[in-house]
Amino acid sequence: MNRRNFFELVTATAASASVIGKPIRAEFKWLEATVSDLRRGMESGKVSSADLAKAYLRRIERMDRKGPAVNSVIEVNPDAMAIAREMDRERKAGKVRSPMHGIPVLLKDNTDTADKMLTTAGSLALMNCKPKRDAFLVRRLREAGAVILGKTNLSEWANFRSSRSTSGWSARGGLTRNPYALDRNTSGSSAGSGAAVAANFCSVAVGTETDGSIVSPSSYCGIVGLKPTVGLVSRSGVIPISKTQDTAGPMTRTVEDAAILLGAMGGVDDEDEVTRESREKTHKDYTQFLKRDGLRGARIGVARQYFRNRNEHSGRVIDEALKAMKDEGAELIDVEMPSFGKIGDAEFQVMLYEFKDGIERYLATRDGCPHKNLADLIAFNEKHAEKELAVFGQETFLRAQEKGSLRDKAYLEALEKCGKLSREEGIDAVMDEHKLDAIVVPSGGPAHRTDLVWGDRGTGGISSPAAVSGYPSITVPAGFVTELPLGISFFGRGYSEPTLLKIAYAFEQATRARRAPKFLETVDGISGA
């Protein structure tokens, strides 16, 4: 069996799994089109930005809100067509701002836009609280000429309200469904961004991550997800969880598109002091690092403890992915992460402290917002429990409310522990010892069935090493178990995006594992990872 057949096929032991319902197909001229495809179309005059915006908006109406009803887009931008027409006028006048000029983009609904759209994190509590201005990254995208098409649904409060939550659900947006099998979960918290990109409701989208919220839904939805180094992309104007781990990042169908979008998002922001560390470390053009032979000679650490406890179906896909890397000239070195399992509860404690502090600071930036702090949000949820708490509770909010200030000894000790174990005794130590270019781990999946009663029961994604350290990671489609995608992730040192993009691009080109979803009603016979 050749690699291409393997990646597109049900493994022999999974072949008995039955696909229920007929695939939903809809004609769409720009299916799987990349940013470069769209740019060439506009350059040649065969299509305009307004044509593209209209086509994507129609597809959202026909297939996201109706038809299979993926429910990934929480709100469309009423100004999208006007922005697209303005970008067309500029192009006609000879002004092209960047490779993103005229390209339709969706934003996660925790990213501020000072326009006619809302920014709510999926919560009804923020429906009447308008941002005073665009998030810094949104300003950067507008400056690049991107067309903000709308906002995507998410796991409410970026999955930080409850430990028993269902990913992809918010009180405002309802439940986002996985376009590969509609009864399957998208993972979270960037659920809508992942599903929308996979379903071709936009060209590219922006997600955010604290721990897994870009890479996990990207893996579940069969796309590329890039979590940058914390500080490469500003967080000002993004509803926070953790100032030490939060970042926004690209969610796209190809590695090249991720590189293009990342170049448009980064930059030093005076309101986010950690971005100062990225000065001289960021690039306007990350596509320069994409090499078809980027795996040749690369030393990649295989963190074996993260590959254990996989079932035979997903295990075969991952093993074949590792073989593909080796066939492309990479040197694979088995490694153990010495800090594996030692961070324990420290990461969560840091998040609890930082969320309580950060959300109060964020709410102060909202015009006329009646909520001033976390206690107010908890009270709102209790008052509107029939809608807000209909599916799961707010025990994480309650635990965060019990915390003190960021001067507390318990916080400072937990923060120090996280940094030491994840960086100098974690990723840095392993990469130094083995002289590695990157470390590879499974991204997670296949997607589990959505269960609004019992909540999530995810299938083994590994995002914490890169998340806690603040280092970058990228997930790339690796293959399928029946009709459900699986991803594989590469991570490395801080600001190693050029190396990770080079490796990820070479892997993508060698395997070509992604395929568009069929919007099946369900897929039977797959129990887990």
Side-chain angles (χ1 to χ4, degrees):
M1 181 185 295
N2 64 36
R3 187 178 308 137
R4 174 67 176 171
N5 289 338
F6 178 90
F7 280 118
E8 295 214 349
L9 147 72
V10 181
T11 60
T13 53
S16 61
S18 60
V19 176
I20 308 299
K22 296 179 180 179
I24 298 172
R25 302 186 185 279
E27 293 299 323
F28 183 62
K29 186 175 181 180
W30 303 104
L31 192 71
E32 297 294 281
T34 66
V35 169
S36 294
D37 292 334
L38 301 180
R39 185 175 71 245
R40 285 190 290 268
M42 288 185 283
E43 289 172 348
S44 68
K46 294 179 180 179
V47 68
S48 67
S49 179
D51 293 336
L52 294 175
K54 182 183 292 185
Y56 282 116
L57 289 170
R58 285 179 174 174
R59 184 169 171 85
I60 289 168
E61 179 64 25
R62 186 172 68 247
M63 300 191 69
D64 196 55
R65 298 186 171 183
K66 299 176 183 177
V70 176
N71 198 38
S72 63
V73 180
I74 205 168
E75 181 178 12
V76 296
N77 185 1
D79 296 326
M81 291 304 302
I83 297 169
R85 285 191 286 267
E86 177 59 27
M87 293 304 103
D88 287 333
R89 283 191 288 270
E90 288 189 6
R91 184 180 291 276
K92 188 174 181 180
K95 178 181 179 180
V96 177
R97 301 185 183 199
S98 81
M100 288 296 298
H101 189 107
I103 301 295
V105 179
L106 285 170
L107 305 174
K108 186 176 178 179
D109 182 40
N110 62 350
T111 306
D112 285 352
T113 54
D115 53 17
K116 295 173 184 175
M117 294 188 290
L118 301 175
T119 305
T120 68
S123 172
L124 302 177
L126 298 186
M127 292 291 287
N128 297 313
C129 303
K130 292 287 292 181
K132 295 178 182 178
R133 57 181 174 171
D134 287 341
F136 182 84
L137 74 89
V138 176
R139 297 202 299 273
R140 292 278 292 141
L141 289 173
R142 293 195 199 275
E143 291 165 1
V147 177
I148 308 302
L149 202 62
K151 298 282 187 75
T152 57
N153 194 26
L154 70 163
S155 310
E156 187 171 322
W157 291 108
N159 242 349
F160 202 70
R161 201 190 77 190
S162 171
S163 59
R164 297 188 292 273
S165 63
T166 295
S167 288
W169 183 92
S170 72
R172 179 189 174 201
L175 178 68
T176 296
R177 305 199 290 171
N178 193 310
Y180 285 90
L182 297 169
D183 67 338
R184 296 277 171 161
N185 200 259
T186 52
S187 191
S189 65
S190 303
S193 294
V197 169
N200 284 264
F201 297 150
C202 58
S203 55
V204 296
V206 174
T208 67
E209 174 162 330
T210 305
D211 189 339
S213 288
I214 289 175
V215 296
S216 186
S218 294
S219 177
Y220 268 42
C221 294
I223 64 171
V224 174
L226 171 58
K227 183 200 85 74
T229 303
V230 172
L232 192 65
V233 176
S234 170
R235 290 86 54 83
S236 64
V238 178
I239 298 174
I241 293 177
S242 165
K243 68 176 184 176
T244 55
Q245 293 184 203
D246 288 349
T247 183
M251 299 178 72
T252 64
R253 288 184 293 275
T254 68
V255 175
E256 181 184 46
D257 282 358
I260 293 171
L261 183 55
L262 181 63
M265 292 171 62
V268 176
D269 176 13
D270 291 339
E271 293 190 11
D272 186 356
E273 63 181 20
V274 73
T275 62
R276 297 172 192 166
E277 299 174 12
S278 71
R279 199 182 303 274
E280 310 299 329
K281 298 176 183 176
T282 187
H283 303 270
K284 290 184 178 180
D285 178 16
Y286 282 92
T287 64
Q288 64 182 297
F289 304 109
L290 306 182
K291 308 293 183 184
R292 175 61 183 82
D293 63 350
L295 279 164
R296 188 170 305 280
R299 290 178 59 84
I300 299 176
V302 182
R304 284 294 177 186
Q305 70 260 52
Y306 297 118
F307 287 80
R308 296 166 190 152
N309 302 318
R310 318 290 297 180
N311 75 23
E312 60 180 312
H313 310 312
S314 61
R316 291 180 184 180
V317 174
I318 298 301
D319 287 346
E320 188 69 13
L322 295 176
K323 182 178 184 298
M325 294 174 211
K326 193 171 182 179
D327 290 346
E328 291 296 312
E331 183 178 357
L332 303 185
I333 301 100
D334 283 355
V335 302
E336 293 287 322
M337 302 292 288
S339 59
F340 176 67
K342 295 181 181 179
I343 293 177
D345 192 48
E347 179 193 12
F348 186 49
Q349 294 304 314
V350 169
M351 289 184 192
L352 293 172
Y353 273 99
E354 292 184 347
F355 178 72
K356 182 182 180 182
D357 177 80
I359 199 63
E360 183 172 343
R361 294 175 187 273
Y362 173 81
L363 291 171
T365 70
R366 291 293 191 102
D367 277 334
C369 187
H371 314 300
K372 306 303 180 186
N373 50 40
L374 180 55
D376 290 345
L377 297 175
I378 291 170
F380 177 92
N381 290 339
E382 290 173 347
K383 184 176 180 180
H384 301 87
E386 72 283 357
K387 294 181 179 179
E388 277 291 350
L389 307 180
V391 177
F392 50 82
Q394 58 176 342
E395 59 273 11
T396 302
F397 270 20
L398 294 172
R399 289 188 65 179
Q401 179 58 25
E402 295 172 354
K403 298 303 180 183
S405 77
L406 300 189
R407 296 185 299 273
D408 281 6
K409 181 180 179 181
Y411 165 73
L412 296 172
E413 289 179 346
L415 183 63
E416 182 182 12
K417 180 178 182 180
C418 286
K420 183 178 181 180
L421 291 178
S422 66
R423 291 192 288 270
E424 53 260 41
E425 294 183 7
I427 294 174
D428 292 342
V430 172
M431 296 191 74
D432 286 344
E433 179 183 356
H434 298 282
K435 297 180 174 56
L436 302 177
D437 296 296
I439 298 172
V440 64
V441 294
S443 304
H448 61 278
R449 282 193 178 86
T450 296
D451 189 336
L452 293 174
V453 175
W454 296 103
D456 287 340
R457 50 179 183 84
T459 49
I462 306 301
S463 58
S464 292
V468 179
S469 64
Y471 290 172
S473 63
I474 185 169
T475 181
V476 185
F480 282 78
V481 175
T482 66
E483 296 291 334
L484 301 175
L486 293 171
I488 199 157
S489 290
F490 303 94
F491 62 86
R493 303 177 191 273
Y495 300 102
S496 63
E497 283 83 358
T499 298
L500 297 183
L501 283 164
K502 180 178 70 172
I503 289 170
Y505 180 77
F507 174 79
E508 173 194 60
Q509 297 303 301
T511 58
R512 301 282 185 171
R514 172 169 165 81
R515 62 175 184 249
K518 299 176 183 176
F519 304 94
L520 300 169
E521 293 176 20
T522 190
V523 177
D524 276 349
I526 302 300
S527 60

mmCIF file of all heavy atoms in Angstrom, residues 48 91 146 293 379 414 431 469 488:
data_model
loop_
_atom_site.group_PDB
_atom_site.id
_atom_site.type_symbol
_atom_site.label_atom_id
_atom_site.label_comp_id
_atom_site.label_asym_id
_atom_site.label_seq_id
_atom_site.Cartn_x
_atom_site.Cartn_y
_atom_site.Cartn_z
ATOM 1 N N SER A 48 -12.942 39.297 -8.380
ATOM 2 C CA SER A 48 -12.693 40.456 -7.523
ATOM 3 C C SER A 48 -12.831 40.051 -6.067
ATOM 4 O O SER A 48 -13.395 38.993 -5.749
ATOM 5 C CB SER A 48 -13.685 41.575 -7.839
ATOM 6 O OG SER A 48 -15.002 41.198 -7.468
ATOM 7 N N ARG A 91 -6.912 48.079 -5.600
ATOM 8 C CA ARG A 91 -6.151 47.232 -6.526
ATOM 9 C C ARG A 91 -6.200 47.818 -7.935
ATOM 10 O O ARG A 91 -5.183 47.867 -8.642
ATOM 11 C CB ARG A 91 -6.703 45.803 -6.511
ATOM 12 C CG ARG A 91 -5.899 44.833 -7.380
ATOM 13 C CD ARG A 91 -6.496 43.434 -7.332
ATOM 14 N NE ARG A 91 -6.322 42.817 -6.033
ATOM 15 C CZ ARG A 91 -5.227 42.176 -5.639
ATOM 16 N NH1 ARG A 91 -4.187 42.066 -6.460
ATOM 17 N NH2 ARG A 91 -5.177 41.633 -4.448
ATOM 18 N N ALA A 146 -6.948 42.753 4.404
ATOM 19 C CA ALA A 146 -7.848 41.614 4.582
ATOM 20 C C ALA A 146 -9.290 42.090 4.713
ATOM 21 O O ALA A 146 -9.563 43.181 5.217
ATOM 22 C CB ALA A 146 -7.451 40.815 5.819
ATOM 23 N N ASP A 293 12.009 20.381 0.386
ATOM 24 C CA ASP A 293 12.906 19.388 0.980
ATOM 25 C C ASP A 293 13.256 19.760 2.423
ATOM 26 O O ASP A 293 14.325 19.412 2.923
ATOM 27 C CB ASP A 293 14.177 19.238 0.151
ATOM 28 C CG ASP A 293 15.001 20.523 0.089
ATOM 29 O OD1 ASP A 293 14.506 21.583 0.527
ATOM 30 O OD2 ASP A 293 16.150 20.469 -0.403
ATOM 31 N N ALA A 379 -22.398 36.357 38.667
ATOM 32 C CA ALA A 379 -23.758 36.747 39.050
ATOM 33 C C ALA A 379 -24.670 36.785 37.829
ATOM 34 O O ALA A 379 -25.840 36.370 37.898
ATOM 35 C CB ALA A 379 -23.732 38.107 39.745
ATOM 36 N N ALA A 414 3.771 28.751 41.509
ATOM 37 C CA ALA A 414 3.239 27.951 40.396
ATOM 38 C C ALA A 414 3.787 28.447 39.060
ATOM 39 O O ALA A 414 4.136 27.648 38.183
ATOM 40 C CB ALA A 414 1.712 28.011 40.395
ATOM 41 N N MET A 431 15.995 19.486 23.594
ATOM 42 C CA MET A 431 16.536 19.917 22.308
ATOM 43 C C MET A 431 18.053 20.123 22.369
ATOM 44 O O MET A 431 18.770 19.826 21.412
ATOM 45 C CB MET A 431 15.819 21.178 21.838
ATOM 46 C CG MET A 431 14.340 20.942 21.557
ATOM 47 S SD MET A 431 13.515 22.306 20.714
ATOM 48 C CE MET A 431 14.170 22.133 19.046
ATOM 49 N N SER A 469 5.194 26.487 28.020
ATOM 50 C CA SER A 469 6.466 27.158 27.776
ATOM 51 C C SER A 469 6.304 28.472 27.028
ATOM 52 O O SER A 469 7.187 29.330 27.065
ATOM 53 C CB SER A 469 7.390 26.238 26.969
ATOM 54 O OG SER A 469 6.844 25.991 25.682
ATOM 55 N N ILE A 488 -0.825 15.809 13.201
ATOM 56 C CA ILE A 488 0.430 15.592 13.910
ATOM 57 C C ILE A 488 1.074 16.959 14.123
ATOM 58 O O ILE A 488 0.963 17.848 13.284
ATOM 59 C CB ILE A 488 1.357 14.636 13.137
ATOM 60 C CG1 ILE A 488 2.434 14.056 14.055
ATOM 61 C CG2 ILE A 488 1.956 15.282 11.891
ATOM 62 C CD1 ILE A 488 3.027 12.750 13.565
#
